[in-house]
């Protein structure tokens, strides 16, 4: 089984901890000048989403988690599972509510997402950093306003609500940063 | 060439750029000038000693870089070491009668990289004849006040006081179990790979993660470290449980480590051999002991105190940087 030493720790690294696949959220190397070195690590359990703290004596090794990221197309939701398809093999796979929770408000049929698989089961679904979505509901646009100063809420086709400049109208396409949930710009076409 | 280049040549990379701003690079230049002016005014002579040494540092928590040298005067196996501090060589100068000396040296420590660590960094190290740890702490403070005029008031407390006040335990008397309970109480979470009986490592952990963060803002000196962590400091004559070693922290950042220096060659040799025995027990390579250094002590090191100050960390504090990369022209990931 592959393993990582503490000197290879970095955020995003996937490890097996207490039998569960986990990802390092934050790693800090700490060492008093004349003393023992440690790695203080925040770890997210990829099954439960819970974040825990661990301290490792430097030089320790931890088993790697056999986790792979795949790009898959979102198909539909049957009330219990969200189904994704591998565009190369056409193989379909169902992700549960826990796996899609962070991506839920950005999920749009036919779009591509990163599905993180552990032993073939979806652990997490991550939307692309930027996505283009249509405005389905917002107050009427105000002509001449280009500052975007105050802004107003707009509901997008996936159900996400973002703050947009006053000049945005219903039916327009917007580019949105899914990491911060912020409006980026108008978009000409879906991408 | 057999090695594989780290990046494909056709990949556009911005890593050639400095990790520090040009403003920070010029701050470093000014700092070096101020340091030299301070010691010039105090009649302390600047010296240079070798970076490359035939002997390593046996210190159990510090790892030397090894390098290969072929040529005249090469050791039989060709193995040499980059110094982790200029301490041994500077003490040889002191034993030879140099008088008060300082050095601004690039030093190397293998395996140390993080928000406040880079495997090579700049140490300011100086030695003062006839001073003890308290007199030297006063001089460290004087220098820091020149370099950081806005520095608030100073707090000085012993290692024991600091632990009692901020961790609720007496570090010189605490049982191993109570020490572990203290770490747990302070939310250190699970600790992986730390030997239950490695008392000093548990003390280090509590010091670094419990006591230091509670010291607060400003300049704090902690003195009288446990005898088991004496390094090259002499043991106290009043309390054999402690060594005359101090450290200094600003806003919770460890900045300096100083000793009232051990001058006893026999005791020093025993400590180096004990380090090597510990290395052997923990499955690490033993290092050649620096016989030049021990011979210098044997011939007589004058009563003195010495201290090393991390200049990169000082620059971090002076410029409000949160990571050491911000004050290094090229941190290790761009070296």
């Amino acid at each position: 089984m592959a393993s990582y030493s503490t000197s290879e720790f970095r955020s995003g690294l996937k490890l097996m901890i207490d039998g569960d696949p986990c990802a390092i959220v934050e790693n800090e190397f700490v060492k008093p000048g004349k003393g023992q070195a440690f790695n203080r690590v925040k770890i997210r359990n990829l099954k439960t989403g819970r974040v825990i703290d661990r301290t490792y004596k430097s030089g320790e090794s931890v088993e790697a988690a056999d986790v792979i990221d795949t790009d898959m197309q979102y198909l539909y939701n049957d009330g219990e599972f969200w189904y994704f398809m591998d565009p190369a093999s056409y193989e379909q796979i169902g992700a549960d509510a826990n796996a899609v929770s962070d991506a839920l408000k950005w999920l749009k049929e036919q779009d591509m997402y990163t599905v993180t698989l552990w032993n073939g089961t979806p652990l997490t679904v991550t939307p692309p950093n930027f996505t283009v979505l249509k405005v389905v509901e917002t107050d009427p646009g105000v002509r001449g306003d280009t500052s975007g100063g105050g802004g107003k809420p707009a509901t997008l086709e996936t159900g996400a609500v973002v703050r947009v400049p006053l000049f945005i109208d219903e039916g327009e396409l917007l580019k949105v940063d899914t990491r911060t949930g912020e409006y980026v710009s108008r978009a000409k076409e879906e991408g | 060439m057999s090695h594989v280049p780290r990046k494909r040549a056709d990949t556009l990379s911005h890593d050639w750029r400095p990790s520090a701003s040009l403003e920070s690079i010029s701050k470093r230049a000014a700092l070096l000038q101020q340091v030299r002016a301070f010691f010039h005014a105090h009649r302390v002579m600047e010296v240079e000693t070798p970076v490359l040494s035939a002997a390593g540092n046996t210190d159990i928590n510090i790892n030397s870089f090894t390098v290969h040298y072929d040529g005249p005067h090469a050791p039989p196996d060709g193995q040499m070491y980059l110094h982790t501090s200029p301490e041994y060589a500077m003490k040889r100068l002191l034993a030879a009668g140099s008088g008060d000396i300082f050095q601004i040296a690039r030093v190397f420590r293998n395996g140390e990289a993080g928000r406040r660590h880079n495997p090579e960094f700049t140490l300011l190290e100086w030695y003062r004849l006839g001073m003890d740890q308290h007199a030297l702490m006063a001089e460290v403070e004087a220098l820091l006040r020149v370099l950081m005029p806005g520095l608030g008031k100073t707090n000085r407390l012993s290692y024991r006081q600091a632990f009692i006040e901020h961790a609720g335990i007496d570090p010189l008397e605490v049982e191993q179990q109570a020490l572990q309970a203290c770490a747990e109480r302070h939310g250190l979470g699970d600790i992986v790979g730390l030997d239950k009986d490695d008392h000093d490592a548990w003390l280090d952990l509590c010091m670094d993660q419990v006591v230091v963060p509670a010291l607060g803002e400003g300049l704090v000196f902690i003195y009288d470290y446990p005898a088991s962590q004496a390094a090259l400091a002499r043991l106290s004559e009043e309390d054999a449980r402690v060594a005359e070693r101090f450290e200094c922290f600003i806003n919770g950042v460890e900045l300096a480590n100083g000793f009232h220096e051990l001058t006893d060659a026999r005791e020093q040799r025993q400590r180096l051999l004990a380090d090597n025995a510990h290395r052997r027990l923990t499955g690490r390579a033993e290092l050649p002991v620096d016989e030049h250094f021990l011979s210098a002590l044997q011939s007589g090191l004058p009563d003195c105190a010495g201290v090393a100050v991390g200049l990169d960390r000082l620059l971090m504090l002076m410029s409000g940087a949160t990571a050491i990369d911000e004050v290094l022209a090229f941190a290790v990931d761009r070296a």
Side-chain angles (χ1 to χ4, degrees):
Chain A
M1 206 58 196
S3 66
Y4 293 108
S5 122
T6 54
S7 63
E8 296 171 280
F9 279 14
R10 60 179 191 279
S11 52
L13 196 69
K14 310 286 196 304
L15 304 170
M16 284 302 293
I17 289 163
D18 304 334
D20 277 351
C22 295
I24 293 181
V25 179
E26 206 179 289
N27 168 53
E28 174 141 39
F29 174 80
V30 294
K31 184 187 188 303
K34 296 274 175 193
Q36 172 66 51
F38 295 96
N39 286 65
R40 291 221 66 197
V41 188
K42 276 196 192 309
I43 299 161
R44 183 189 305 277
N45 182 314
L46 294 173
K47 277 167 74 180
T48 64
R50 242 163 51 87
V51 175
I52 56 162
D53 290 319
R54 278 271 157 112
T55 303
Y56 289 84
K57 183 178 162 181
S58 290
E60 288 295 304
S61 287
V62 185
E63 190 188 324
D66 190 11
V67 163
I68 50 165
D69 289 337
T70 53
D71 290 329
M72 298 182 96
Q73 187 178 38
Y74 172 55
L75 299 178
Y76 65 96
N77 165 233
D78 70 357
E80 189 180 2
F81 288 99
W82 285 257
Y83 289 89
F84 292 82
M85 182 182 73
D86 183 327
S89 66
Y90 302 109
E91 194 190 335
Q92 291 184 22
I93 205 160
D96 65 14
N98 195 18
V100 297
S101 62
D102 290 344
L104 205 50
K105 64 178 177 177
W106 307 114
L107 274 189
K108 190 183 162 198
E109 288 168 18
Q110 314 303 327
D111 276 6
M112 297 297 291
Y113 296 84
T114 301
V115 179
T116 303
L117 301 171
W118 176 57
N119 292 340
T121 311
L123 273 176
T124 54
V125 172
T126 314
N129 292 344
F130 297 101
T131 185
V132 171
L133 295 169
K134 186 179 283 182
V135 177
V136 294
E137 196 186 322
T138 192
D139 290 339
V142 179
R143 263 173 229 291
D145 171 61
T146 52
S147 69
K152 59 181 179 178
T155 307
L156 308 180
E157 59 187 308
T158 57
V161 178
V162 296
R163 282 202 83 75
V164 299
L166 297 177
F167 58 77
I168 297 295
D169 271 321
E170 281 177 17
E172 284 193 84
L173 290 170
L174 307 184
K175 183 177 178 186
V176 182
D177 187 328
T178 61
R179 295 162 297 183
T180 58
E182 284 168 4
Y183 163 89
V184 178
S185 63
R186 274 172 163 159
K188 287 205 174 64
E189 56 191 66
E190 300 187 44
Chain B
M1 297 288 272
S2 61
H3 66 262
V4 180
R6 276 189 303 176
K7 286 204 168 74
R8 279 170 39 198
D10 60 359
T11 309
L12 182 67
S13 161
H14 293 287
D15 289 355
W16 68 268
R17 290 181 180 282
S19 47
S21 66
L22 293 177
E23 186 193 349
S24 160
I25 288 165
S26 71
K27 259 192 189 131
R28 177 180 292 265
L31 171 69
L32 294 175
Q33 283 205 339
Q34 281 181 298
V35 167
R36 292 196 160 101
F38 178 89
F39 287 109
H40 182 72
H42 286 71
R43 298 179 188 287
V44 180
M45 175 170 69
E46 181 164 11
V47 297
E48 288 189 349
T49 56
V51 166
L52 192 59
S53 169
N57 179 357
T58 57
D59 197 303
I60 57 170
N61 290 314
I62 295 177
N63 297 312
S64 302
F65 280 89
T66 56
V67 292
H68 193 82
Y69 168 62
D70 327 282
H73 310 293
D77 58 1
Q79 186 147 299
M80 294 188 79
Y81 303 87
L82 300 182
H83 70 168
T84 59
S85 130
E87 177 152 22
Y88 294 170
M90 289 182 81
K91 285 182 181 167
R92 286 163 65 188
L93 291 177
L94 291 162
S98 67
D100 296 326
I101 49 175
F102 82 98
Q103 177 163 200
I104 297 171
R106 198 60 78 87
V107 301
F108 302 83
R109 296 187 183 181
N110 209 343
E112 299 188 11
R115 211 157 53 83
R116 288 178 190 161
H117 293 85
N118 195 63
E120 67 172 298
F121 61 100
T122 305
L123 265 188
L124 161 65
E125 184 146 337
W126 78 94
Y127 291 85
R128 294 294 241 142
L129 302 190
M131 280 195 185
D132 64 7
Q133 61 168 347
H134 292 283
L136 189 55
M137 275 189 261
E139 188 162 80
V140 170
E141 181 178 350
L143 171 66
L144 292 175
R145 290 200 179 281
V146 168
L147 302 173
M148 297 181 77
L151 208 53
K153 68 177 172 60
T154 310
N155 198 5
R156 284 193 194 198
L157 64 174
S158 71
Y159 187 92
R160 182 164 181 262
Q161 287 169 319
F163 258 85
I164 290 172
E165 202 168 305
H166 299 300
I169 53 170
D170 180 342
L172 305 180
E173 300 294 339
V174 69
E175 301 274 341
Q176 185 59 21
Q177 251 182 341
L179 181 56
Q180 286 172 34
C182 170
E184 206 169 293
R185 208 164 47 243
H186 287 89
L188 285 173
D190 291 324
I191 293 149
V192 183
L194 182 51
D195 190 334
K196 293 268 178 255
D197 301 321
D198 193 344
H199 196 71
D200 280 306
W202 283 88
L203 282 176
D204 287 341
L205 183 65
C206 290
M207 180 68 180
D208 204 77
Q209 298 291 310
V210 180
V211 177
V212 172
L215 294 177
E217 302 281 293
L219 177 59
V220 182
F221 286 96
I222 308 257
Y223 58 89
D224 285 352
Y225 270 64
S228 57
Q229 299 180 10
L232 286 83
R234 66 173 65 189
L235 297 185
S236 163
E237 280 171 16
E238 289 118 59
D239 183 351
R241 296 174 305 170
V242 301
E244 295 186 15
R245 171 183 162 199
F246 70 89
E247 290 211 6
C248 136
F249 300 84
I250 292 180
N251 302 345
V253 176
E254 181 189 350
L255 204 60
N257 180 40
F259 308 138
H260 188 189
E261 302 293 346
L262 177 64
T263 52
D264 181 333
R266 253 189 41 196
E267 187 177 343
Q268 186 64 68
R269 179 180 292 276
Q270 277 166 2
R271 287 191 197 176
L272 299 184
L273 294 179
D275 280 349
N276 261 338
H278 186 280
R279 286 179 167 270
R280 197 163 53 238
L281 274 174
T282 50
R284 286 177 298 163
E286 290 179 57
L287 293 165
V289 166
D290 195 330
E291 292 296 342
H292 290 312
F293 164 55
L294 289 171
S295 302
L297 290 193
Q298 187 72 51
S299 87
L301 181 68
D303 182 29
C304 65
V307 63
V309 176
L311 289 188
D312 312 282
R313 297 233 183 118
L314 187 56
L315 267 168
M316 283 176 69
L317 290 162
M318 289 165 69
S319 54
T322 54
I324 198 166
D325 302 32
E326 295 169 46
V327 300
L328 295 170
F330 302 105
V332 64
D333 60 338
R334 303 177 182 219

